[in-house]
Amino acid sequence: MTRYIRILFIFLCCSALSCQNEGYIGTLFGSWSLDEMTVDDVVVPLPAKAEAALLGMHGRFALFGLDYGMQQDIHYFATWTRDGDSLTFDFAHSDYGDEPGTGSYTPPYWLGFDRLIENVTITRLDHSHFDFIREGSDGRTYYYKFKHTW
């Protein structure tokens, strides 16, 4: 329960900062929990000891989180744009003069993201499910199924 409170707190802080940037974004809005990830039709587990992987969407910001329960959580941020079923996550940002795509803007490795700009295709989006597919830089097909948590 504590892990969800921490993630909720971080997401709410991001939400408060982005209220000026359109805030509510329709069906994408909210927190999504990774239900399943496959690579070339093979289910891929979360990293060792990770309890959950989350995606928060609000305004122009996306929060990618990996939850280790009472241990340390990992959070990375991106901006995003959408054109129909095409969604682009942009990690090419930086803090305090760091290299773009580093620090809090590192692409989430647990999702196989390794580019600063990741393009995905939405395959299902409703108030309960957010599924998308992408081709990785390794040529493999990644498929993600998220469930809406709030």
Side-chain angles (χ1 to χ4, degrees), residues 65-97:
L66 193 57
D67 183 5
Y68 283 97
M70 297 303 288
Q71 298 176 18
Q72 184 179 12
D73 295 337
I74 298 173
H75 300 101
Y76 297 128
F77 300 92
T79 55
W80 63 271
T81 55
R82 180 179 177 191
D83 183 12
D85 288 337
S86 296
L87 185 64
T88 301
F89 294 108
D90 183 353
F91 298 93
H93 306 284
S94 63
D95 290 323
Y96 311 110

Side-chain angles (χ1 to χ4, degrees), residues 99-112:
E99 289 292 316
T102 61
S104 60
Y105 296 102
T106 302
Y109 64 87
W110 60 91
L111 297 177

